[in-house]
Structure formats: structure tokens, C-alpha cells
Amino acid sequence: MSDDHAYQAISAYSDKLIHTPNIDQIADEGVIFTNACVTNSICAPSRATILTGKHNHINGKIDNGAPFDTNQVTFPQLFQKAGYQTAMFGKLHFGNDPKGVDDFMILPGQGHYINPAFITKSGDTTITGYVTDIITDLTLDWLKAKRDTEKPFLVMYLHKAPHRPWWPSPEKFKEFTKKEFPLPETLFDDYQNRGTAAQTAEMNILYDLRYGHDSKIRPETFASMDSIKPYIKPYNWGGSDGFSTSFARANNVQKDLYEPVLDSINIWFKQNWRLLNDREKMEWKYQRYMQDYLGSISSVDDNVGRVLDYLQESGLDKNTIVVYTSDQGFYLGEHGWFDKRFIYNESFKTPLMIRWPNRIKPGIKKTEMVQNLDFAQTLLEAATITPPADMQGESLLPLLLGRDKEWTRDAVYYHYYEYPSVHMVKRHYGIVTEAYKLAHFYYDVDEWELYDRFKDHHEMNNVYDDPAYKKIVANLKTELADLRLKYRDSRELDLYYINKYLDK
Ligand code: SGN
Ligand code: CA
């Protein structure tokens, strides 16, 4: 699993932006889901859903700040009990150690790209190098030398990349800053015909990406450009924290590898920035964003290749299930945005591909609406371990093994909570069917949005108030109420979580 890996940036889904041959191999030799989605598009809550097989209102990890109650049953514990060797390497983001793993080395919080620190069973440590390579080294080392080869295993290999602030390795930084990427159709979205939430969110590339933090403009470049005025939100102006949190960790040898590319970006910025109009500024920031984001992904793909190669060399590939996914989707300039959180497509959907030789037919594509909620039950059933009755997902085995008729789900439930907070996306829950998406933004506004998924692929037109959709709205509201009941979510719980975590 990677952190914030948009399906738009995997060539098995779309080859517009990047070629990811290694990740694609999993899809080519197994199944790719084109409508996999999350229950709540944000990091730690997604991980909690994956581990517990429960929605966040049940497992309590509603946002990145809420504590994760480790007394809950997570699926690795059940694998461990069933005699599996278990391990976890990379980003967990819970604020506490994983349960049910024999071995782990996890990043503290978001972790660092360069010379990252790790939390281990025997104390904290720092490893020199680039985080994506290191997480892979740790995983391979465990597979090769640390596990008991007599036992079956479950290993969670969890990349920090491509999470903000998108520091690629020095080689990829050099390679990707030379590239130019196609602009998304909705890059200049003005959020008309949407709700208040889309208009007030703070994740617009032009206004909210920070030059220092994200675009790799050095603090000293700003210092010499004091006639440049901030955009709308002053706190976004000229932040240097991408340098102090990430780049400052690099040693001199590593810094020297980055400096020539940083120089070229900064010299260009200094000479040209003032001359650009807003449209050109948006395009420049989009290109810079894509160069770093996709450069970070390219290393993920190379490293996934290293793991797949090892599985093949060792013969483990023949009876190992390999899953590739992300903790959520991400905006790559669609609607002018970066980040995630919304029920809208790019953040709601997540990549999912699964390889299982001799069981899953190679090269199949599935369009059913499956969720991260389903992963625990799927993996448990695949390993013939009985899932606990209170897990809320559905095993994907029927879809994986050609028993499609057993799959009956036609609607999924979504609920996002983290507000007010970074990026300012308002709380909302909703229902998504093949044809429609109905969402209720219920905190500090009371607004409904309806999108016609067949007619409006880019979700640009909220048709909630259109009389032509009156009956559809009524039916969807009933279905949504049924889903809330089925998953045991309620108005009382919405208020409980508002009161519990907001200063009232
Ligand atoms: C940080 C990032 C945000 C991001 C959250 C959550 N800002 O706060 O852009 O949305 O993490 O991401 S940064 O200035 O620290 O880079 S999540 O994937 O962990 O949910
Ligand atoms: Ca994430």
C-alpha cells in the first residue's frame, strides 16, 4: 500500500501521466478493480477501516487526530493466531504500535522522505537513505532472512510516498523536473454549480500549495523577492517547512545531489514568477506538483518491482497473494485541487489490484463497487480463517474467483469527518450507486448534493434541486437511511463525534 497514490497515476488505470510497469504487472497477472473506493478518504481512518473491517463511526478512528483503540480486533491478529508469521514496515500513522505483528518498523506519524526515523520493537532508530528504498529493504530483509520459512506469512509493506511534501529521490528529481504533463480538463474549475464545501475547501493548487513547502522554492529565494504579495491566505505564503522538515535531514552528500535541480527551479522562479498571469502561475505550480508527485511514485514502482522479483526468484510468487492499493485516492489537478477527503471521484476511489496465481484469472477487470472495508474479510477468507461476525465488509472472493452472482452490493456508504482542519473540507456522508452520488454536508452548513454519474463524469453539476431528479433524490434518501441503519451510523453518532472532538 502507498500513501495518497491516485489511480490516475498508475498506468494500468491510465497512461496519461506515468508508466508504472511493475505495479501494472500485478493487474496484468491478476485482477484490477476500477471502482474500488474508501469509506472515508483520509489516511489513518482508512487504515483503521482496513485493519478492523469496520466503518470509522464503529472503530472510532474518525479522523487523523482521533485515537485508535488498540483493544479492537484487527485482521493481522487473526492471521497471527492462525499460525502466520506477520510483519509491518512503513507508514501506519496511528500514534500507537500495531497489534498482531511479530515484527515491525514503522515511521513516526507521517514519516520523513530523507534519512527517516523508525519506531521498532526495540526502540527508535534512523536509517540513512531514501524512504521508499528503505521500506523495501526492510521488507525484503524480513522476507529473506528474518521470518520462519516453515510458516505462512502476512507482510504489510506500506510506503510513505507519494504523500506531501513530495520529495523524490535525487535521481528522480532530476529526471522528472524535465517532464511536462497534460493539464486536467477541470484544472481551472471555479466551483460554480457545486455546494459551499467545494468553494471553501483549501486545496487549490494556485492558492493553497505552498511555494516553499511544496514547490521547492527556497526561503532565500523569497527573501530576495519581497515585492511579491501573498495570495488569499497569508499562511500559505512562502512556507519553508518542506525544507526544514524534509530537506534539512539530508547530509551534505545527499544535499549536493539535489542542489543543481533546486538551483534551476529557484533561478527560473526568481526570473519569471512576477511576469506570469494567474493562469500561467496555476500551470507552473501544477507542473511542479506533478513532477515531484510522479517522481516519488516512480520510485515506488521500481521498488514494487524489487519485491515482485524476489517473490519470483524465491518461488514464493506461486502461492502468495499480492495486493496493491492506497489509503485513498488523490486529486492531481482535477477541479484545480491537490489532496483528498471529498466523496467526489478522484479521492473517493482508490487503486486496487490483486494477484493470486492459479486462483484469480490473469488480466481480469472488475467494475463492481468494492471498498477498503472489504479487505479484512477477503484476506481472512482467502486464508481460510473465519472472519469475526461483526466485521462490516463483504469478502471479495466471489468476485475474485468467478462467482460473480454471489455479489449483490449495489450501493456504498461514505462518511468524512475531519473538519475544521487542514484543507477545510466540510463533514459529509453519502451514498454512491452506479448511477448517482448523493451527499449530505451537515456541519456548519446543511446542504445536499446530487451528481448524475452517467451524464456528469467530472461531477461539475449538483442537480439536487433540479425537479427532474425529485423522485431519484427521494429514493436515494431512503436507501441512504437504510445504509446508515445497516452500518449502525446515526444522527446521534454524528453529534457525538462533533461534540467529542470539537471545542464547544
Ligand atoms: C499533512 C499534509 C496535508 C494532508 C494531511 C493528511 N500537510 O497535514 O496536506 O492532507 O497531512 O494526510 S503538510 O503540510 O504536513 O504536508 S494523510 O494522508 O496523512 O491523511
Ligand atoms: Ca494518505
Side-chain angles (χ1 to χ4, degrees):
M1 186 161 94
S2 299
D3 192 8
D4 293 359
H5 193 168
Y7 60 88
Q8 310 91 293
I10 295 180
S11 40
Y13 285 96
S14 160
D15 57 9
K16 274 193 198 147
L17 293 173
I18 191 171
H19 186 46
T20 52
N22 297 297
I23 296 170
D24 291 4
Q25 194 191 330
I26 301 169
D28 293 345
E29 297 174 358
V31 56
I32 182 165
F33 284 92
T34 56
N35 279 304
C37 64
V38 293
T39 63
N40 180 3
S41 180
I42 180 115
C43 184
S46 167
R47 290 154 201 265
T49 291
I50 290 171
L51 289 169
T52 60
K54 292 174 184 166
H55 277 280
N56 297 133
H57 59 272
I58 302 290
N59 65 42
K61 186 99 184 92
I62 54 150
D63 59 29
N64 278 339
F68 180 74
D69 173 4
T70 53
N71 292 318
Q72 302 183 76
V73 174
T74 58
F75 82 84
Q77 287 166 277
L78 303 172
F79 272 81
Q80 198 180 38
K81 244 193 231 155
Y84 275 71
Q85 285 265 291
T86 55
M88 180 185 284
F89 301 102
K91 182 181 175 187
L92 176 62
H93 200 188
F94 270 12
N96 41 40
D97 293 347
K99 284 267 180 83
V101 289
D102 308 324
D103 257 314
F104 67 85
M105 285 185 82
I106 56 170
L107 303 166
Q110 296 285 6
H112 300 286
Y113 275 102
I114 304 167
N115 304 337
F118 282 90
I119 300 167
T120 81
K121 273 196 166 165
S122 52
D124 298 353
T125 184
T126 296
I127 303 180
T128 305
Y130 184 65
V131 69
T132 306
D133 301 332
I134 295 170
I135 292 170
T136 309
D137 294 344
L138 296 173
T139 304
L140 285 174
D141 188 40
W142 187 82
L143 282 171
K144 287 178 187 169
K146 295 214 171 123
R147 73 192 168 92
D148 176 350
T149 52
E150 296 301 306
K151 290 182 176 173
F153 68 87
L154 166 77
V155 63
M156 283 160 280
Y157 164 51
L158 311 171
H159 283 297
K160 179 235 170 14
H163 190 278
R164 204 179 176 194
W166 314 300
W167 279 92
S169 69
E171 304 77 40
K172 301 287 183 186
F173 194 42
K174 199 170 164 197
E175 180 188 341
F176 277 73
T177 42
K178 295 196 184 98
K179 294 185 194 262
E180 203 176 307
F181 299 96
L183 306 180
E185 277 177 53
T186 57
L187 183 66
F188 299 99
D189 195 347
D190 59 5
Y191 315 113
Q192 295 305 299
N193 307 321
R194 247 62 53 77
T196 308
Q199 284 153 16
T200 56
E202 298 180 359
M203 43 198 254
N204 182 276
I205 292 173
L206 177 61
Y207 296 116
D208 302 308
L209 261 190
R210 282 138 70 195
Y211 301 95
H213 187 51
D214 302 303
S215 305
K216 317 293 183 286
I217 303 305
R218 294 181 178 119
E220 52 270 32
T221 305
F222 284 112
S224 64
M225 293 175 75
D226 53 10
S227 65
I228 293 185
K229 292 281 175 288
Y231 272 104
I232 293 174
K233 298 166 201 107
Y235 86 92
N236 272 323
W237 177 246
S240 61
D241 37 337
F243 285 91
S244 57
T245 57
S246 303
F247 195 60
R249 300 179 68 85
N251 59 37
N252 287 342
V253 176
Q254 292 167 324
K255 279 190 179 151
D256 283 350
L257 297 171
Y258 283 100
E259 294 293 3
V261 184
L262 282 172
D263 277 349
S264 68
I265 295 168
N266 279 264
I267 290 166
W268 190 94
F269 187 84
K270 216 166 151 178
Q271 289 173 347
N272 296 286
W273 189 251
R274 267 176 245 248
L275 309 173
L276 305 184
N277 63 31
D278 273 4
R279 207 180 168 88
E280 291 162 336
K281 283 179 176 163
M282 176 59 139
E283 289 184 17
W284 184 86
K285 286 184 97 176
Y286 166 79
Q287 295 297 348
R288 277 276 48 253
Y289 164 37
M290 282 302 93
Q291 289 162 356
D292 293 349
Y293 180 90
L294 297 168
S296 305
I297 284 174
S298 185
S299 285
V300 170
D301 188 64
D302 291 349
N303 278 286
V304 166
R306 288 174 63 204
V307 174
L308 294 179
D309 285 351
Y310 173 69
L311 291 180
Q312 194 177 11
E313 277 156 40
S314 61
L316 282 170
D317 62 326
K318 295 193 178 57
N319 64 347
T320 300
I321 299 175
V322 177
V323 180
Y324 188 83
T325 190
S326 173
D327 59 345
Q328 11 68 206
F330 214 71
Y331 294 95
L332 304 183
E334 300 87 358
H335 304 290
W337 284 335
F338 63 103
D339 214 66
K340 51 245 177 187
R341 298 159 195 270
F342 276 111
I343 193 172
Y344 311 138
N345 277 335
E346 290 78 7
S347 43
F348 167 73
K349 296 214 285 185
T350 196
L352 178 64
M353 43 196 83
I354 309 177
R355 182 179 85 175
W356 189 5
N358 299 320
R359 299 298 295 274
I360 299 176
K361 285 208 187 91
I364 55 175
K365 188 188 256 190
K366 288 273 160 216
T367 57
E368 286 81 357
M369 279 188 294
V370 301
Q371 288 191 291
N372 58 349
L373 182 69
D374 306 321
F375 296 176
Q377 279 150 277
T378 305
L379 294 173
L380 287 165
E381 281 197 11
T384 65
I385 303 167
T386 309
D390 62 351
M391 282 189 172
Q392 296 183 306
E394 282 173 50
S395 162
L396 304 181
L397 285 199
L399 295 176
L400 301 183
L401 304 179
R403 308 193 313 256
D404 291 21
K405 281 202 188 111
E406 292 171 35
W407 183 261
T408 55
R409 179 192 285 157
D410 56 11
V412 294
Y413 181 60
Y414 183 87
H415 197 155
Y416 172 79
Y417 297 85
E418 196 176 280
Y419 179 90
S421 183
V422 57
H423 302 300
M424 295 300 278
V425 172
K426 292 186 191 295
R427 289 167 187 243
H428 58 290
Y429 59 80
I431 178 172
V432 183
T433 67
E434 197 189 1
Y436 300 104
K437 186 173 286 183
L438 177 75
H440 184 202
F441 292 81
Y442 63 88
Y443 178 72
D444 81 9
V445 289
D446 181 9
E447 292 179 11
W448 289 82
E449 294 180 21
L450 175 70
Y451 295 93
D452 184 326
R453 302 187 79 203
F454 292 143
K455 287 194 187 144
D456 179 17
H457 293 290
H458 294 313
E459 302 173 318
M460 301 292 276
N461 265 310
N462 170 18
V463 290
Y464 180 78
D465 290 321
D466 182 337
Y469 289 90
K470 207 170 163 203
K471 209 161 163 209
I472 286 154
V473 167
N475 289 343
L476 284 168
K477 279 195 175 174
T478 310
E479 262 193 86
L480 176 58
D482 290 348
L483 277 186
R484 299 242 299 162
L485 212 57
K486 172 181 164 184
Y487 291 125
R488 293 185 288 130
D489 202 0
S490 63
R491 180 70 187 148
E492 288 68 40
L493 271 178
D494 302 345
L495 294 172
Y496 167 80
Y497 284 120
I498 288 169
N499 290 323
K500 189 161 179 181
Y501 297 117
L502 295 184
D503 287 329
K504 291 246 128 191

